[in-house]
Amino acid sequence: MAIDAKPELASINEIKGDEASHPKRQRRMKILIGMALVLLPLIYFFPAVIGKVTLTTGDSWSYSILMRILVGQMLAHGEIPLWNPHTFAGMPLLAALQAGVFYPPNWLFVLLPPGAAMKLVVISVYHVALIGSYLYGRALNMGRAAALVTGVTFTFGGFMIDHLEQVNFIAAAAWLPWVLWAVEKIHLSCQKGQSGSWRESWRWAGAGAIVVCLQLFAGLPQATWHIALVGGAYFLFLLARRADTVMNGRFRFAASTAVMAVCGAMLSAIQLLPARELQRQGERAAIDYETFSTFSMAPRFWLSTIFPFFYGGGLPPYQIGGWDHWWLHKWAHGYVGILGLLLALVACFAYRRRGLVWFWSGVAICAMVLASGDFLPFGLNRALYHVPVYNLFRGSYRHTYEFTFALAVLAGLGATS
């Protein structure tokens, strides 16, 4: 009997040991993921961190950094940055939006030299995108490693990296996963039968309002429009999928999300209202169709989703001479890496929550269609030109923003599978 009992006793002790070590493994995993979220942008931009390169090129050099220096100098001297005396014969500064007067990272220009401040502003964008994408993935019940896959795929994908020179755009674009995270958290808190769900949903609505406010303060209306398109579609998707047998859950979700959006806009009204007044008086009060259709993405350029340098580009020793189009870097925006594409395919065939897969696959397809712009058949792009607000922005290729994020989410779902 004693001989027979020993293996059983050993098994029980082994199971208990596994249960005791499980919290330790979880703690180690949390620490590793936390370190990755902090360190990955610093590693990616390590040459800038140690001072060998700057992160200011293109539009950031000719416009963004100059506006931030001016804002920093005025704040350092106790002035409210309302007016820019250096452009034209003077023009509004607060209302110009892209100066990002109220965006907290830009206040680093008050304390630091311009070069160091700009590096921190740019790198912080990638921290915002990475952490937000990770949190959204976790809200979808992805594992920690899978959620990190979503974060890395979006943050270091073609769109966010290729727009490095347009710091205003990426600073505003980085808040998309945070907006979706807030909407998802409101949705989860409104589940039927959850105690104190009204209070919790309002708490998440308040957090979401702060997220919306920061996104608006970041300073690029076109990114806000793209986020509104995706966020609005995601809200309708969740609303339609709710399985409540009564309307209370749906009403609570809709009301809380509406409060989040309205309060976010009200918090940022100090900048939005003067910006709207300035926009009506500027060249962007309306644009013609030729401007609207600028930088449409021809279908052949989607080859760069698989081969990013198919049409040329890259760095030595892998540099390829450009051909077919002069503005090469615009066509690699949809690149998320071969592993990202493969994991997205895994999600399409293996992930059990089919609704999520269908939604994000639909977002990716719609983004591809909209990015085609003037190459769309049957005059569809001319019809889109008559859509209010949508017809104020140029650069159809920028819909690769939604495309890369959708593939990042699918990659995380595939990694979960």
Side-chain angles (χ1 to χ4, degrees):
M1 291 294 293
I3 294 174
D4 292 337
K6 283 180 181 179
E8 183 180 354
L9 185 61
S11 313
I12 293 171
N13 288 335
E14 186 178 348
I15 292 171
K16 287 182 177 178
D18 287 343
E19 290 176 349
S21 63
H22 187 61
K24 293 182 180 179
R25 288 201 301 271
Q26 284 190 333
R27 197 178 304 114
R28 284 198 296 268
M29 189 64 169
K30 288 180 181 179
I31 292 172
L32 287 173
I33 294 295
M35 291 175 62
L37 294 175
V38 172
L39 294 177
L40 281 175
L42 299 178
I43 294 171
Y44 192 93
F45 294 108
F46 186 70
V49 172
I50 62 176
K52 288 191 174 181
V53 299
T54 65
L55 295 177
T56 308
T57 62
D59 291 349
S60 291
W61 179 254
S62 61
Y63 181 84
S64 297
I65 191 172
L66 301 178
M67 294 296 99
R68 284 162 172 76
I69 291 172
L70 178 59
V71 170
Q73 290 176 344
M74 295 178 75
L75 289 175
H77 289 87
E79 300 178 45
I80 301 176
L82 300 176
W83 187 256
N84 171 13
H86 304 293
T87 301
F88 304 121
M91 64 171 290
L93 180 58
L94 173 64
L97 275 182
Q98 292 200 38
V101 171
F102 291 113
Y103 192 54
N106 293 337
W107 300 340
L108 290 169
F109 282 85
V110 178
L111 306 172
L112 300 173
M118 195 64 176
K119 287 179 187 177
L120 289 176
V121 166
V122 172
I123 294 174
S124 71
V125 166
Y126 293 90
H127 279 106
V128 170
L130 182 61
I131 295 171
S133 302
Y134 173 80
L135 291 175
Y136 175 63
R138 292 291 289 158
L140 295 180
N141 288 323
M142 293 183 192
R144 296 184 187 279
L148 186 62
V149 167
T150 292
V152 169
T153 305
F154 172 61
T155 304
F156 302 108
F159 185 89
M160 291 295 288
I161 295 299
D162 279 349
H163 271 86
L164 181 66
E165 65 170 308
Q166 298 176 344
V167 67
N168 300 90
F169 204 114
I170 58 173
W175 289 98
L176 169 61
W178 289 88
V179 172
L180 298 175
W181 168 75
V183 173
E184 182 66 29
K185 284 293 189 179
I186 293 172
H187 174 255
L188 294 174
S189 69
C190 292
Q191 294 291 359
K192 180 184 173 183
Q194 208 172 33
S195 60
S197 55
W198 266 109
R199 187 181 303 109
E200 188 177 353
S201 63
W202 293 133
R203 186 161 56 245
W204 285 115
I210 294 172
V211 167
V212 171
C213 178
L214 288 171
Q215 194 282 323
L216 292 167
F217 281 162
L220 201 91
Q222 186 166 4
T224 302
W225 173 245
H226 287 259
I227 290 173
L229 289 176
V230 178
Y234 190 67
F235 163 75
L236 294 175
F237 164 72
L238 293 180
L239 189 65
R241 286 181 72 234
R242 290 196 64 86
D244 302 289
T245 56
V246 294
M247 292 300 294
N248 184 44
R250 290 190 179 191
F251 172 76
R252 191 186 314 157
F253 172 56
S256 301
T257 308
V259 167
M260 174 188 113
V262 172
C263 290
M266 291 175 66
L267 286 172
S268 55
I270 188 172
Q271 184 162 339
L272 289 184
L273 293 179
R276 174 59 176 158
E277 183 179 352
L278 179 64
Q279 181 262 333
R280 288 177 174 175
Q281 301 178 43
E283 61 181 11
R284 284 300 182 92
I287 58 176
D288 56 25
Y289 177 76
E290 286 67 28
T291 304
F292 171 76
S293 60
T294 303
F295 305 128
S296 297
M297 193 165 180
R300 65 183 182 276
F301 288 124
W302 286 102
L303 278 170
S304 62
T305 303
I306 303 173
F307 309 109
F309 300 133
F310 185 85
Y311 294 104
L315 297 172
Y318 306 107
Q319 193 166 20
I320 303 170
W323 60 282
D324 192 42
H325 199 279
W326 66 275
W327 206 343
L328 296 170
H329 75 282
K330 287 284 182 280
W331 314 128
H333 284 340
Y335 185 70
V336 294
I338 296 301
L339 183 58
L341 288 173
L342 291 175
L343 288 173
L345 286 173
V346 170
C348 292
F349 291 104
Y351 192 69
R352 293 181 179 180
R353 293 169 64 185
R354 304 306 299 168
L356 271 176
V357 173
W358 282 111
F359 175 80
W360 285 112
S361 298
V363 169
I365 293 169
C366 289
M368 291 178 72
V369 171
L370 293 173
S372 299
D374 204 35
F375 293 96
L376 289 173
F378 313 119
L380 291 176
N381 201 53
R382 286 192 175 273
L384 289 172
Y385 175 65
H386 296 289
V387 176
V389 183
Y390 191 85
N391 59 7
L392 296 176
F393 304 110
R394 63 172 186 158
S396 301
Y397 78 93
R398 282 177 171 161
H399 286 287
T400 50
Y401 168 43
E402 299 101 283
F403 176 81
T404 54
F405 185 79
L407 258 64
V409 176
L410 289 172
L413 298 178
T416 299
S417 295

